[in-house]
Amino acid sequence: MRRGLVLLPYAVGIAVALALPRVMYPVLALDILLWGLFAMSVDLLLGYVGLLSFGHAAFWGLGAYAAAIAAKSMDAPFALAAVLGAGASALLAVPFGYLATRRRGIYFAMVTLAFAQLVFYVANEWRDLTGGENGLHGVPRTFPGLSLGRSADFYYAALPLIALGYFLAYRIVHSPFGHVLVAIRDNEPRAQALGYATWRYKVLAFVLSGGLAGLAGGLFALGNGFASLDLLHWTTSGQAVLITILGGIGTLWGSLLGAVIVLELRDALTSAPEASGVVTGAVFVVIVLAFRRGLWATGRDALRRFAAPPVSARIDISGGEVRHGRS
């Protein structure tokens, strides 16, 4: 019975993922899951290592370009193209992480931002490969034996890869490796005193985070049929950080909830672009002020308080004192 209750949230999550394209546009449903995975990669660093990255658009965008080039120039199946995008981003994260993790706090954030702008510049100048300002359009999505012309068909074909990305993120933070990351976040000198090479753990976490962002970016380019410079822009990194904060830093699944709110709000305001900035900013301010720990953590705590048995006063006559206990 207890094991069934533990598995219930995951069963509900799978059911929701399967039904999502039937209650909204399949492209929007796919974007929500991919932005959620992208924000999870940011939360892996921010929430579990304490490193704020303003340069994760480099991995999201590189994964998109690598997958688009593999699918368009090499006729690679979409699954292989997406994996190649993830691999390219993970490889790029090795030197970036090696250098960036030598700094802390705002200096780490600024270094990652500088690296991302470097990738943006290279993509803009390497027009023969990336298309420059025009980007890459008409990216095919193929797989032997499957017809993926419709957006809904591609959604269900890509869902196993997206689920794999979520599973990897979950296993990372719930493994002994993830516990060491939390120890580094809370007190790095103490973790070093316990014998952990904290710098290596941070570099590995950076590489894993970059790989997850690249997987999400690759599937985004394949699902939308293009890869453009906007994917590499610093505002893309800012939006991923915003989604993470809205959902709740260090909650992992809050990233998915934040993606739902941001993308649904953006989609609802497409008919009124002049009011988009004002309405979006107002909603974000309200959420940040009312839910300081993020939507996921606040909702989880409220649910636990609701499910907990009420506290009642119990009088101990022999001792003449009032004690409080749960009824």
Side-chain angles (χ1 to χ4, degrees):
M1 180 66 179
R2 186 179 182 86
R3 182 176 179 82
L5 292 176
V6 172
L7 296 177
L8 180 61
Y10 302 103
V12 172
I14 293 173
V16 170
L18 292 174
L20 206 57
R22 302 183 183 277
V23 298
M24 65 175 60
Y25 298 120
V27 174
L28 177 60
L30 179 66
D31 288 352
I32 287 175
L33 295 184
L34 295 178
W35 274 95
L37 181 58
F38 182 28
M40 277 188 183
S41 71
V42 174
D43 194 31
L44 179 61
L45 287 180
L46 178 58
Y48 294 89
V49 193
L51 298 174
L52 173 60
S53 172
F54 278 138
H56 254 53
F59 309 119
W60 164 267
L62 177 61
Y65 272 103
I69 293 171
K72 195 170 183 178
S73 302
M74 302 166 52
D75 295 325
F78 85 90
L80 177 59
V83 172
L84 289 175
S89 295
L91 286 176
L92 180 67
V94 173
F96 282 11
Y98 180 87
L99 297 172
T101 52
R102 295 177 177 272
R103 297 292 179 263
R104 299 180 182 179
I106 191 61
Y107 301 104
F108 173 86
M110 291 298 100
V111 169
T112 57
L113 177 60
F115 285 151
Q117 290 301 102
L118 175 63
V119 176
F120 179 90
Y121 175 79
V122 171
N124 186 34
E125 294 298 322
W126 201 350
R127 293 179 173 85
D128 294 338
L129 182 65
T130 65
E133 295 178 354
N134 297 322
L136 296 176
H137 297 273
V139 178
R141 50 195 188 200
T142 60
F143 196 83
L146 294 179
S147 175
L148 303 178
R150 297 192 312 162
S151 298
D153 295 335
F154 181 77
Y155 174 91
Y156 287 113
L159 192 58
L161 276 177
I162 300 173
L164 176 62
Y166 284 142
F167 175 75
L168 290 176
Y170 177 84
R171 286 304 305 156
I172 289 171
V173 301
H174 288 87
S175 66
F177 172 78
H179 296 160
V180 175
L181 295 182
V182 174
I184 295 172
R185 178 200 66 189
D186 293 341
N187 195 323
E188 185 172 356
R190 181 177 295 178
Q192 291 174 338
L194 291 174
Y196 294 108
T198 58
W199 175 68
R200 294 181 181 177
Y201 278 88
K202 290 191 289 185
V203 171
L204 182 54
F206 195 93
V207 172
L208 292 172
S209 176
L212 290 175
L215 176 63
L219 289 173
F220 181 87
L222 294 165
N224 289 273
F226 71 89
S228 65
L229 288 176
D230 288 341
L231 303 179
L232 291 166
H233 201 262
W234 66 270
T235 55
T236 301
S237 298
Q239 185 167 344
V241 173
L242 175 63
I243 290 174
T244 303
I245 294 174
L246 287 179
I249 298 174
T251 60
L252 202 64
W253 299 114
S255 300
L256 184 57
L257 182 58
V260 171
I261 293 172
V262 171
L263 295 189
E264 281 284 3
L265 187 60
R266 187 178 66 184
D267 182 68
L269 295 173
T270 52
S271 59
E274 65 281 355
S276 176
V278 176
V279 175
T280 304
V283 171
F284 291 162
V285 168
V286 170
I287 291 177
V288 170
L289 292 179
F291 307 96
R292 296 188 177 183
R293 297 182 57 204
L295 293 171
W296 185 271
T298 304
R300 180 185 59 195
D301 294 344
L303 184 61
R304 287 176 178 175
R305 287 194 297 269
F306 178 79
V311 178
S312 60
R314 183 176 67 250
I315 301 178
D316 187 349
I317 301 178
S318 60
E321 61 184 52
V322 178
R323 298 178 181 176
H324 294 277
R326 298 194 180 276
S327 59

